[in-house]
Amino acid sequence: MHNIQNNKALNEPKYIDEDIIQQIIRDTDASVMPELIQFYIIESKERVGIISKAEKEKDFQTLEFETHTLGSSALTLGNIALSAISREIELHCMQQQFDEALEKSALLPDIASKSFSALET
């Protein structure tokens, strides 16, 4: 049974890089983390909404810009899965691989939600 749980954990994407969180705490102060996380989540949820709208409207310029910005802020706060998919979408837009960009964009809201939840725990 223990191996099954370990295998399941290996198949789950890694939403948070704890090393990044610990580095932020070392560089700043643990007391600022809740406010920093709250601000990041509020801003990022708005950005995810803009990305979803851009996906529906096939506005690839906005999609590229917003995923670039989200990817950077997600990485800063250790949301590595969200950063990775954002960077993939951005790259697809830059390379004019629009079908792939739309395909990945459809996955982004779920990954974002799980990433934000992982930060809040």
Side-chain angles (χ1 to χ4, degrees):
M1 186 160 150
H2 188 264
N3 285 341
I4 292 171
Q5 288 177 338
N6 283 343
N7 288 341
K8 185 177 186 239
L10 290 175
N11 292 332
E12 286 283 318
K14 187 174 179 185
Y15 293 105
I16 298 289
D17 184 332
E18 288 295 332
D19 291 339
I20 292 174
I21 300 296
Q22 292 306 313
Q23 186 63 51
I24 294 169
I25 291 169
R26 284 191 297 275
D27 291 347
T28 58
D29 183 338
S31 66
V32 302
M33 283 305 293
E35 188 176 335
L36 191 61
I37 290 170
Q38 182 182 16
F39 177 77
Y40 159 74
I41 290 174
I42 289 167
E43 182 183 82
S44 296
K45 283 181 177 178
E46 289 176 13
R47 202 164 297 287
V48 170
I50 294 168
I51 289 168
S52 293
K53 184 176 184 238
E55 173 203 348
K56 286 179 184 72
E57 295 175 356
K58 297 185 179 179
D59 178 352
F60 296 107
Q61 184 176 1
T62 299
L63 190 62
E64 180 181 336
F65 175 81
E66 294 296 334
T67 55
H68 171 82
T69 306
L70 181 61
S72 296
S73 60
L75 185 58
T76 301
L77 263 289
N79 268 165
I80 55 175
L82 182 55
S83 179
I85 193 167
S86 296
R87 293 294 189 206
E88 288 177 34
I89 296 165
E90 176 192 12
L91 187 60
H92 286 310
C93 288
M94 290 170 65
Q95 296 174 343
Q96 298 186 353
Q97 298 169 333
F98 300 126
D99 288 342
E100 292 88 345
L102 293 173
E103 202 174 292
K104 294 281 183 180
S105 296
L107 304 174
L108 188 133
D110 184 55
I111 292 172
S113 177
K114 290 176 180 172
S115 296
F116 302 149
S117 293
L119 260 183
E120 292 175 315
T121 56

